[in-house]
């Protein structure tokens, strides 16, 4: 006889508390929602930032987490694209709807159909968990903030220059792949040990972000390639990264460039004139940009994974221990990763 299913959850009971494992009721889906039995959950910086700084969440106790991958166990009314038994990944909504049933760090999570993607049998659950947050952030950045047209999936490595600062990060690897698919020639910054890997994802040039001449090098490479850089995505937005992005755009594409940041402008230095600067927010893919989110999750990602024009990235590092290991994963991510996505496996 198989054991009765239970919903083991890593709960944060009050602001800044450590996660505690408890049993919660298995949630029921509402209209347009599905319940997923999670087989893999990925960690994101916002998880430890919420815990460390007491930001974003205003209702406790709750369940944090945005990235899940598993099997659909129940569908709510009006769900048309998924059925029980489907392998899916999705962008869990707790960071914007504050509902703990929509948090990732538990056995069963509610996903909205609009933020759910089909995962083919050829992809493992841990690989499937790498996509949602990174691509929601990047799609909002590219299409809602930079105003670029959605890609037609024709690869053309000789298009105009696009800068992705921090190419080895989760968000940066999504940025490289999407920009490459859109026909841009992708210039990225990263630790040089990631060079071959990032080129395999679609970067044309990889420059060490710690090199004091990083900006001049990027401008020179774009000039030599005949592809001035007019668009930039700062996947890091820390220290001098955004200022360096602006300097690169101004030195390469001249005035009129557009830069999108992954966090608030990170320095006391004023924003330079001549570059249009905006900021992405992943949650918009399920809120005001829900048509974009639906296109991304329901259509573009499954199609591109099938065609192998989008791959899981960066390299997965599994954190052992199931739901009880959620705090370990957050602590490890806060301590810093290098070119890896931390994923907890649940089966
Ligand atoms: N606005 C939103 O909605 C949203 C959504 C998701 C994420 N974010 C934010 O975006 C940032 C990135 O998130 P993530 O999940 O992609 O992070 P991540 O994968 O944990 O980033 C770690 C990677 O960044 C690289 N890195 C660190 N500092 C760098 C720098 N100054 N220049 C270039 N690369 C650097 C590291 O490379 P090394 O190998 O060199 O150490 C490491 O590979 C975080 O601040 C996160 O909170 C925002």
């Amino acid at each position: 006889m198989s054991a009765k299913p239970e919903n083991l959850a890593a709960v944060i009971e009050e602001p800044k508390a450590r996660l505690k494992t408890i049993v919660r009721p298995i949630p029921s889906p509402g209209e347009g929602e599905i319940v997923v039995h999670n087989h893999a959950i990925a960690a994101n910086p916002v998880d430890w930032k919420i815990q460390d700084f007491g930001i974003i969440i205003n209702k406790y106790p709750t369940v944090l987490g945005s990235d899940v991958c598993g099997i659909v166990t129940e569908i709510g009314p009006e769900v048309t694209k998924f059925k029980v038994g489907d392998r899916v990944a999705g962008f869990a909504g707790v960071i914007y709807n504050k509902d703990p049933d929509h948090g990732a760090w538990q056995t069963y999570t509610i996903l909205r159909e609009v933020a759910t993607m089909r995962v083919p049998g050829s992809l493992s659950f841990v690989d499937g968990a790498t996509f949602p947050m990174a691509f929601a952030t990047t799609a909002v950045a590219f299409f809602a903030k930079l105003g670029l047209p959605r890609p037609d999936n024709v690869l053309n490595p000789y298009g105009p220059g696009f800068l992705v600062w921090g190419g080895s990060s989760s968000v940066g690897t999504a940025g490289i792949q999407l920009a490459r698919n859109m026909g841009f020639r992708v210039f990225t910054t990263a630790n040089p040990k990631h060079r071959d890997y990032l080129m395999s994802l679609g970067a044309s040039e990889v420059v060490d972000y710690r090199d004091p001449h990083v900006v001049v090098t990027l401008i020179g490479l774009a000039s030599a390639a005949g592809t001035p850089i007019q668009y930039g995505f700062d996947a890091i937005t820390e220290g001098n990264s955004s200022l360096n992005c602006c300097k690169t755009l101004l030195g390469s594409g001249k005035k009129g460039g557009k830069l999108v940041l992954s966090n608030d402008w990170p320095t006391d230095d004023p924003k330079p004139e001549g570059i249009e600067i905006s900021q992405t927010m992943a949650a918009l893919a399920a809120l005001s940009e829900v048509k974009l989110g639906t296109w991304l999750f329901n259509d573009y990602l499954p199609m591109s994974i099938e065609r192998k024009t989008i791959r899981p990235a960066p390299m997965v590092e599994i954190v052992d221990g199931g739901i009880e290991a959620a705090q370990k994963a957050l602590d490890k991510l806060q301590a810093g990763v290098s070119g890896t996505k931390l994923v907890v496996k649940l089966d």
Side-chain angles (χ1 to χ4, degrees):
M1 206 171 70
S2 60
K4 198 166 169 266
E6 66 175 16
N7 185 23
L8 212 55
V11 167
I12 178 166
E13 292 190 316
E14 56 186 15
K16 303 192 180 185
R18 304 284 287 171
L19 302 184
K20 186 174 158 189
T21 307
I22 63 161
V23 176
R24 297 185 72 241
I26 295 175
S28 296
E31 197 170 294
E33 295 176 346
I34 63 179
V35 176
V36 177
H37 180 190
N38 298 323
H39 287 250
I41 304 167
N44 285 290
V46 71
D47 300 346
W48 69 256
K49 288 181 183 178
I50 290 171
Q51 187 175 41
D52 216 38
F53 305 130
I55 53 171
I56 300 175
I57 298 293
N58 52 14
K59 210 173 124 198
Y60 288 85
T62 197
V63 178
L64 304 178
S66 305
D67 284 335
V68 301
C69 187
I71 293 179
V72 178
T73 53
E74 198 179 345
I75 58 167
E78 308 297 329
V79 170
T80 58
K81 293 174 179 163
F82 301 98
K83 61 180 188 319
V84 171
D86 283 349
R87 303 173 94 246
V88 297
F91 181 35
V94 67
I95 56 168
Y96 65 86
N97 66 16
K98 317 290 194 276
D99 182 341
D101 289 346
H102 291 246
W105 292 106
Q106 55 193 329
T107 316
Y108 292 88
T109 295
I110 291 184
L111 292 177
R112 289 172 63 204
E113 182 176 38
V114 295
T116 303
M117 57 187 275
R118 208 169 280 281
V119 172
S122 56
L123 216 62
S124 67
F125 291 117
V126 291
D127 279 345
T130 64
F131 295 108
M133 172 64 109
F135 274 92
T137 311
T138 305
V140 170
F142 283 28
F143 308 119
K145 300 298 178 180
L146 293 178
L148 295 166
R150 292 184 202 164
D152 56 11
N153 230 34
V154 174
L155 309 183
N156 166 16
Y158 303 108
F162 192 112
L163 174 64
V164 176
W165 197 280
S168 68
S169 66
S170 287
V171 173
T173 54
I176 290 171
Q177 296 189 81
L178 202 49
R180 184 275 318 265
N181 284 1
M182 293 166 71
F184 287 103
R185 187 179 184 98
V186 183
F187 298 83
T188 195
T189 66
N191 183 320
K193 70 182 174 185
H194 301 307
R195 180 186 162 81
D196 290 350
Y197 177 67
L198 299 182
M199 292 187 80
S200 79
L201 290 180
S204 294
E205 304 286 353
V206 181
V207 181
D208 186 352
Y209 65 87
R210 297 185 186 92
D211 182 341
H213 306 296
V214 57
V215 169
V216 173
T217 305
L218 285 164
I219 294 168
L221 288 167
S223 168
T227 53
I229 301 170
Q230 286 211 314
Y231 292 100
F233 180 27
D234 185 354
I236 303 300
T237 317
E238 252 181 51
N240 60 5
S241 67
S242 304
L243 209 48
N244 279 341
C245 288
C246 289
K247 288 178 184 167
T248 306
L249 264 63
L250 284 167
S252 179
K254 312 299 175 201
K255 287 193 173 182
K258 287 186 172 188
L259 172 68
V260 59
L261 313 178
S262 58
N263 291 302
D264 292 334
W265 178 255
T267 160
D268 290 336
D269 292 306
K271 293 179 183 172
E273 298 281 321
I275 301 291
E276 193 181 312
I277 300 172
S278 58
Q279 186 177 338
T280 186
M281 190 195 280
L284 296 184
L287 296 169
S288 58
E289 301 292 338
V290 73
K291 276 191 185 155
L292 170 62
T294 305
W295 165 83
L296 176 75
F297 287 112
N298 295 173
D299 302 330
Y300 180 73
L301 282 172
M303 178 193 76
S304 304
I305 291 165
E306 204 72 48
R307 293 180 179 177
K308 301 196 183 335
T309 55
I310 295 283
R311 312 205 312 245
M315 307 295 254
V316 165
E317 181 182 340
I318 293 176
V319 179
D320 288 323
I323 288 291
E324 282 98 340
Q327 186 65 62
K328 187 163 112 188
L330 268 49
D331 291 345
K332 202 170 161 59
L333 185 57
Q334 182 171 9
V337 292
S338 181
T340 52
K341 184 86 180 168
L342 301 180
V343 180
V344 169
K345 212 172 150 187
L346 296 198
D347 33 18

